[in-house]
Amino acid sequence: MENEHSELIIGYLQGRLQGRSLDDFYAWVNESADNKKLFFETKALYEACAPSRDVSEIHDSWLRLLHKRKSRQRKRFTLLTRISTYAAVAIFAAAITSTVFLFFSREYDGWITSYVGGDGLEADVVVLPDGTRVSLGTRTSFSYDSRYGQSERVVQLEGEAYFEVAKDKDKPFIVNTKEQSIKALGTKFNVSAYPTDSLLTTTLLEGSILLTTQSLLHPTVLRPNEQFVYNKKTQSALLQQVDANRFVSWTTGYYYFPEQSLDAILYRLSHVYGVQFTVKSEALNRRTFTGTFYRGQSIKDIMEIIHLSIPIRYKIDDHHVTISEI
């Protein structure tokens, strides 16, 4: 059965599948997230190597690689995964959007702010003078001034960031966005507050935080695995239980979408890839989708993933994607 699936993948990549074989391929890919992951890992590696190798040699190589992968699939980073990641970096570098950093690398009181660069897939990290680690999302502005750490620890955020706050009971850690203020002592939480977004989302992993919103009368205390979603347009809020770990997977290059509308997914992807989406169907915008995307995949790969679950027609033109019903 493993060999049969290998033949399906290779046939699809080489454009040889037709009729029943093509239907079998689509059915197999849709069976599980693991099948989709295997296909796109293989596709990235195939495209990286194909131009310089003979077709028969590639065919034999995939059979060997896919056979080996099954015996190693319990390991988080298999050889195939590593190679496909490197290939994805090479192929899709143009689709990776840089993060904008607005922070001060200055020394005071013997402390130094350090910047830990990501690899374009995993997040870039800033380590603050007190040891607090901040993972920064794409197109994010993050700053603090010279008073940081004197009586309190205040930072400014526009965009998305994941905070691992160093404990200091005498100096609260405060994240200010345009509409909200989030206060913590020692905790881990994620904030998504892009200026153009209608929703501001705060998700707590560990500890507790006190969240104050300008238009709401009372502050909200968040506990682990709780998420606070504020709608700027309606000035309303929702507090819900979630698996918080899934909402910080972006720091390692994975974006999880739990039963979300296509409209919400594309809005998120527009930040990640710097791409504008136009959907020519309100019905399509409301269709829901559950899945995990990897930053190393191109926007075309992601459109193919969505196409496998939702019948769509799409056209990619530079940094603009037009989507319509089939």
Side-chain angles (χ1 to χ4, degrees), residues 198-244:
S198 59
L199 300 179
L200 306 181
T201 306
T202 304
T203 309
L204 182 67
L205 279 80
E206 294 181 10
S208 64
I209 56 177
L210 180 66
L211 194 153
T212 303
T213 306
Q214 289 180 3
S215 62
L216 301 181
L217 293 177
H218 304 290
T220 302
V221 176
L222 262 65
R223 304 299 180 189
N225 288 315
E226 286 187 341
Q227 183 179 76
F228 184 86
V229 181
Y230 173 68
N231 189 316
K232 292 191 292 186
K233 292 182 178 179
T234 62
Q235 296 189 345
S236 59
L238 171 67
L239 181 64
Q240 58 188 359
Q241 291 284 329
V242 298
D243 180 355

Side-chain angles (χ1 to χ4, degrees), residues 5 35 57 59 69 77 88 105 134 140 142 146 153 158 166-167 179 197 206 216 218 244 262 264 275 292 313 317:
H5 295 155
N35 289 356
E57 183 183 355
H59 180 278
R69 187 184 188 280
F77 296 105
S105 291
V134 186
T140 290
F142 174 79
S146 59
R153 299 170 289 170
E158 284 190 358
K167 293 183 179 180
E179 288 84 7
D197 284 2
E206 294 181 10
L216 301 181
H218 304 290
L262 180 63
V275 174
T292 301
R313 180 181 291 108
D317 183 13

Side-chain angles (χ1 to χ4, degrees), residues 125-128 130-135 148 153 161-167 173 184-190 205-206 248 251:
V125 177
V126 175
V127 183
L128 302 184
D130 59 350
T132 293
R133 295 177 63 87
V134 186
S135 301
Y148 182 89
R153 299 170 289 170
Y162 168 55
F163 297 89
E164 296 183 356
V165 181
K167 293 183 179 180
F173 185 88
L185 293 175
T187 185
K188 297 180 180 180
F189 61 100
N190 193 82
L205 279 80
E206 294 181 10
V248 299
T251 62

Side-chain angles (χ1 to χ4, degrees), residues 24-44:
D24 289 344
F25 167 77
Y26 283 126
W28 173 78
V29 170
N30 275 311
E31 278 181 3
S32 69
D34 286 340
N35 289 356
K36 290 179 182 178
K37 184 172 184 291
L38 172 59
F39 168 66
F40 284 101
E41 284 177 352
T42 306
K43 183 176 183 291

Side-chain angles (χ1 to χ4, degrees), residues 9-284:
I9 293 175
I10 294 167
Y12 181 83
L13 292 173
Q14 294 179 345
R16 294 187 289 102
L17 299 186
Q18 295 181 354
R20 177 66 179 275
S21 296
L22 188 59
D23 292 340
D24 289 344
F25 167 77
Y26 283 126
W28 173 78
V29 170
N30 275 311
E31 278 181 3
S32 69
D34 286 340
N35 289 356
K36 290 179 182 178
K37 184 172 184 291
L38 172 59
F39 168 66
F40 284 101
E41 284 177 352
T42 306
K43 183 176 183 291
L45 183 55
Y46 183 92
E47 290 178 347
C49 301
S52 62
R53 300 181 66 180
D54 179 77
V55 172
S56 61
E57 183 183 355
I58 293 171
H59 180 278
D60 294 339
S61 295
W62 294 132
L63 288 177
R64 291 194 298 270
L65 283 169
L66 296 174
H67 177 71
K68 290 179 181 178
R69 187 184 188 280
K70 186 175 183 181
S71 64
R72 299 179 183 179
Q73 62 187 0
R74 292 186 178 181
K75 295 182 180 180
R76 184 177 180 183
F77 296 105
T78 64
L79 176 61
L80 177 57
T81 305
R82 288 179 184 273
I83 294 174
S84 63
T85 298
Y86 300 147
V89 172
I91 298 171
F92 310 134
I96 303 297
T97 308
S98 298
T99 302
V100 178
F101 300 101
L102 298 177
F103 63 91
F104 301 90
S105 291
R106 63 177 61 171
E107 182 176 356
Y108 57 94
D109 295 334
W111 291 347
I112 300 175
T113 297
S114 63
Y115 161 69
V116 183
D119 60 3
L121 301 176
E122 295 191 0
D124 295 283
V125 177
V126 175
V127 183
L128 302 184
D130 59 350
T132 293
R133 295 177 63 87
V134 186
S135 301
L136 300 174
T138 55
R139 294 188 293 167
T140 290
S141 296
F142 174 79
S143 64
Y144 63 91
D145 61 30
S146 59
R147 294 170 294 176
Y148 182 89
Q150 293 180 3
S151 59
E152 56 187 11
R153 299 170 289 170
V154 181
V155 301
Q156 308 291 329
L157 175 70
E158 284 190 358
E160 183 167 19
Y162 168 55
F163 297 89
E164 296 183 356
V165 181
K167 293 183 179 180
D168 188 339
K169 63 180 180 180
D170 298 323
K171 297 176 181 177
F173 185 88
I174 300 171
V175 180
N176 286 331
T177 68
K178 188 175 181 180
E179 288 84 7
Q180 294 179 326
S181 178
I182 303 165
K183 183 178 181 180
L185 293 175
T187 185
K188 297 180 180 180
F189 61 100
N190 193 82
V191 181
S192 180
Y194 285 97
T196 56
D197 284 2
S198 59
L199 300 179
L200 306 181
T201 306
T202 304
T203 309
L204 182 67
L205 279 80
E206 294 181 10
S208 64
I209 56 177
L210 180 66
L211 194 153
T212 303
T213 306
Q214 289 180 3
S215 62
L216 301 181
L217 293 177
H218 304 290
T220 302
V221 176
L222 262 65
R223 304 299 180 189
N225 288 315
E226 286 187 341
Q227 183 179 76
F228 184 86
V229 181
Y230 173 68
N231 189 316
K232 292 191 292 186
K233 292 182 178 179
T234 62
Q235 296 189 345
S236 59
L238 171 67
L239 181 64
Q240 58 188 359
Q241 291 284 329
V242 298
D243 180 355
N245 286 304
R246 290 179 170 177
F247 290 88
V248 299
S249 61
W250 64 267
T251 62
T252 57
Y254 290 88
Y255 293 80
Y256 173 71
F257 297 94
E259 199 62 32
Q260 290 189 344
S261 68
L262 180 63
D263 184 47
I265 292 171
L266 297 180
Y267 199 81
R268 172 73 159 160
L269 293 176
S270 68
H271 289 310
V272 178
Y273 287 90
V275 174
Q276 180 184 356
F277 293 93
T278 299
V279 180
K280 296 186 173 182
S281 167
E282 281 302 315
L284 269 182

